[in-house]
Amino acid sequence: MSSTTTISASKGTWLDGENETTANGGGTTMKLGQQQVGIGAGERANVVLAFDVSSLANPSVISQAVLKFTGSGFSGGHFGSAVRQVYAYRLDQDFTEAQCTWEISATGTNWIESPVGSGSYKGAYYNARITEHSKSAYYKVSGGSDVGFRVTSACEIDVTELVKDAIRRRSGTALIWIGIPLTDAVTTSGGITVCSPDHGTSGNRPKIEIEVAEKVVWNTSVLDNNVQTAANWIGGVEPDGYDHAIFNDGSHDATSGTLTFNNMFVGE
């Protein structure tokens, strides 16, 4: 049976394109998306977060990791006149929560610039090395989340590969940038106000819920050949949708029943 591990953000803030030199660390809420119509003056709002995932030493057992925000305010925090899409990317540069702004990652340290972008496209647009033109500097998650006008669902983004990457290559620290990507040139407003890592209610803070799979081995103890009979699996629990089902033990066939699981391994 798989288990769920929840890891809250160790730090984070939002970068305000309307107020490029304002640091927002310590606030209880953050904006995410496009604040107003237009793009030239930097109306976008981006979020940067850090997570310590070092307690998960084996990335191969992670079936899914989902970044979840809690909306703050009317309509679950969603605002604006249109539906916009936000995505999560790997952030290649650390930041100081109390100091970072649209333009700097810490006092005296600019966001690292990517090979493209200029003028009004500064700050977290491209300086956080979030760009489709520099694949070595980022990993874009396949999933995203709708925010904005009449959106009622929660803001959740699949970050499975970012978490695995952090464990394998980044000493267990996942630095994540969330926002509207540079390639999205739409200028209508749409976003969400979410609780920050400094929110007074710990359960409302940004978090990653990680499904950790178990290796569940078939052994046919009951001898009824039914994969849904719990006793036919070592440990007495059948695999669930996140687990790895292993058929490499026992001398009886699996001939009946239905299961849904993450992966199946069949031995000799």
Side-chain angles (χ1 to χ4, degrees):
M1 177 67 68
S2 65
S3 59
T4 302
T5 297
T6 300
I7 298 177
S8 296
S10 56
K11 64 179 179 179
T13 185
W14 69 288
L15 312 178
D16 185 356
E18 290 184 323
N19 300 282
E20 299 174 0
T21 61
T22 300
N24 296 302
T28 59
T29 62
M30 307 181 293
K31 286 187 177 181
L32 175 61
Q34 180 114 354
Q35 301 179 76
Q36 297 183 21
V37 176
I39 197 170
E43 283 84 0
R44 287 183 177 171
N46 306 318
V47 167
V48 289
L49 297 171
F51 294 88
D52 181 358
V53 295
S54 60
S55 60
L56 301 165
N58 183 7
S60 66
V61 301
I62 296 175
S63 299
Q64 186 180 54
V66 179
L67 172 59
K68 296 186 176 184
F69 292 97
T70 299
S72 177
F74 181 72
S75 299
H78 293 280
F79 63 83
S81 59
V83 176
R84 304 300 302 275
Q85 287 76 40
V86 295
Y87 296 87
Y89 295 75
R90 190 182 79 224
L91 178 61
D92 279 351
Q93 183 177 357
D94 202 354
F95 61 93
T96 301
E97 179 183 289
Q99 300 172 4
C100 71
T101 70
W102 184 265
E103 297 186 336
I104 61 173
S105 63
T107 301
T109 304
N110 292 330
W111 289 110
I112 299 171
E113 296 188 10
S114 77
V116 297
S118 61
S120 60
Y121 290 97
K122 58 185 176 181
Y125 272 124
Y126 73 95
N127 289 348
R129 298 174 73 179
I130 324 287
T131 169
E132 287 78 353
H133 296 275
S134 180
K135 294 184 182 298
S136 64
Y138 85 108
Y139 189 97
K140 179 180 176 181
V141 179
S142 58
S145 181
D146 287 344
V147 296
F149 184 62
R150 291 185 177 176
V151 175
T152 57
S153 57
C155 185
E156 301 182 355
I157 304 175
D158 189 325
V159 292
T160 306
E161 295 306 318
L162 290 184
V163 171
K164 291 182 177 181
D165 173 78
I167 297 169
R168 291 183 179 124
R169 301 181 180 90
R170 301 173 210 290
S171 302
T173 299
L175 296 172
I176 302 176
W177 179 97
I178 308 97
I180 299 173
L182 181 63
T183 52
D184 187 342
V186 177
T187 60
T188 49
S189 63
I192 184 171
T193 301
V194 297
C195 298
S196 79
D198 298 295
H199 195 273
T201 302
S202 60
N204 290 343
R205 298 166 187 167
K207 54 187 170 289
I208 298 178
E209 290 189 357
I210 302 169
E211 296 292 340
V212 178
E214 294 287 339
K215 296 179 180 179
V216 188
V217 180
W218 170 260
N219 73 348
T220 62
S221 299
V222 179
L223 308 181
D224 67 354
N225 307 104
N226 190 332
V227 296
Q228 289 179 266
T229 301
N232 283 331
W233 298 89
I234 293 177
V237 179
E238 69 271 27
D240 64 23
Y242 297 105
D243 286 331
H244 305 312
I246 301 174
F247 293 89
N248 65 353
D249 192 15
S251 58
H252 295 271
D253 295 335
T255 59
S256 63
T258 301
L259 285 178
T260 299
F261 35 75
N262 186 273
N263 285 294
M264 179 175 69
F265 302 89
V266 181
E268 295 182 359

